[in-house]
Amino acid sequence: MARSIRLHTPAALTAGGIVALPPDQAHYLGAVMRLAPGAVIALFNARDGEWRGRISALRRGAAEIEIEARLRPPAPEQDSDLWLAFALLKRPATDLVVQKATELGVAAIFPVITMHSLGERVNLARLEAIAREAAEQSERLSLPAIQAPQPLPALLAGWPRGRRLVAAIERAEAPPVVAKPGPTALIVGPEGGFAPAELDVLRAHPFVEPATLGPRILRAETAVIAGLALLQAAPRRR
Ligand code: SAH
């Protein structure tokens, strides 16, 4: 069976309810997917789960969906205890990191300002739209929480007790990245790498575990994908 169209909505989903979709989702249904009233799609969010809905009205810039029946109850993501921190990259690489991290199940994304990272700002609305599309495509129910950028020392100072932080460090003797049960996060540096002083600061924190992703020097976005793939591959329920 062809994969049905899934759209995330913050609206309440209940049988018989009507959900109004914003212009970008209406455009996607009508102009991109060429659907018409009567067509069946799925709507989801983390609070209400996933529901079958039928397009009841579709115009330029607006769509209404009549909610029929629940397809999936709300449930935590299997890997919802995986977070990603990454040093800000050029925009296309940052976009790719947010998309792939969402596909790989991260619950929270922390852009980090480091000595060699590029820029100090992100367009949060744009990154949230990228994450929403990746969640729709990858059959997640939840969206990752994308944080405002913060300097590395602030991230480490506010680090929650009991969460390991696997630091991807190139050109160093370190054990490989391994999945373990319990709250985990990955941190990846910028194209220029972490500065030596930053590596010292990272290593000084007891929750930081330096780890290698192999003998080659990876682009930062490759390191994110490879590291998250290793950390989420095994079931990690608490
Ligand atoms: N300019 C640096 C490389 C930075 S690579 C140099 O030439 O040494 C960008 C980031 O990807 C690094 O900060 C690190 O977090 C991660 N990374 C790349 N290759 C890695 C590897 N083999 N093992 C662990 N992390 C790696």
Side-chain angles (χ1 to χ4, degrees), residues 1-223:
M1 198 185 87
R3 192 164 60 83
S4 74
I5 290 172
R6 307 176 74 237
L7 296 178
H8 179 270
T9 178
L13 300 170
T14 49
I18 302 277
V19 170
L21 296 180
D24 62 325
Q25 289 180 324
H27 174 83
Y28 174 74
L29 293 178
V32 180
M33 299 312 292
R34 307 234 155 251
L35 297 183
V40 168
I41 66 165
L43 293 181
F44 69 94
N45 61 47
R47 186 189 57 236
D48 301 322
E50 183 157 342
W51 292 70
R52 189 178 72 223
R54 197 173 292 275
I55 301 176
S56 50
L58 184 58
R59 301 176 293 282
R60 246 181 128 79
E64 277 178 13
I65 312 296
E66 192 177 333
I67 306 305
E68 295 183 342
R70 195 166 75 176
L71 302 170
R72 271 169 80 188
E77 300 298 328
Q78 213 181 306
D79 324 294
S80 61
D81 235 344
L82 182 57
W83 294 359
L84 172 69
F86 73 103
L88 280 171
L89 304 168
K90 286 187 191 143
R91 196 166 91 169
T94 293
D95 290 355
L96 186 80
V97 160
V98 168
Q99 183 191 61
K100 298 310 168 199
T102 305
E103 288 175 45
L104 288 161
V106 306
I109 298 178
F110 295 81
V112 182
I113 300 162
T114 67
M115 288 178 189
H116 298 145
S117 60
L118 296 172
E120 304 209 337
R121 276 193 231 243
V122 296
N123 180 338
L124 272 182
R126 174 192 162 79
L127 294 183
E128 279 161 1
I130 290 170
R132 192 186 76 193
E133 281 179 25
E136 290 168 350
Q137 179 274 323
S138 59
E139 303 195 357
R140 284 177 67 135
L141 287 176
S142 65
L143 305 185
I146 305 177
Q147 315 296 320
Q150 58 184 317
L152 181 63
L155 177 84
L156 297 174
W159 198 252
R161 199 179 263 278
R163 180 174 295 270
R164 65 195 280 245
L165 179 57
V166 176
I169 298 179
E170 74 284 5
R171 303 181 203 279
E173 286 291 322
V177 171
V178 283
K180 291 182 196 163
T184 299
L186 174 71
I187 185 166
V188 171
E191 269 329 310
F194 289 114
E198 291 173 328
L199 290 174
D200 290 344
V201 168
L202 279 166
R203 288 201 176 94
H205 287 82
F207 50 82
V208 172
E209 296 178 22
T212 179
L213 289 164
R216 288 157 295 273
I217 303 304
L218 308 174
R219 280 186 176 275
E221 60 270 37
T222 313

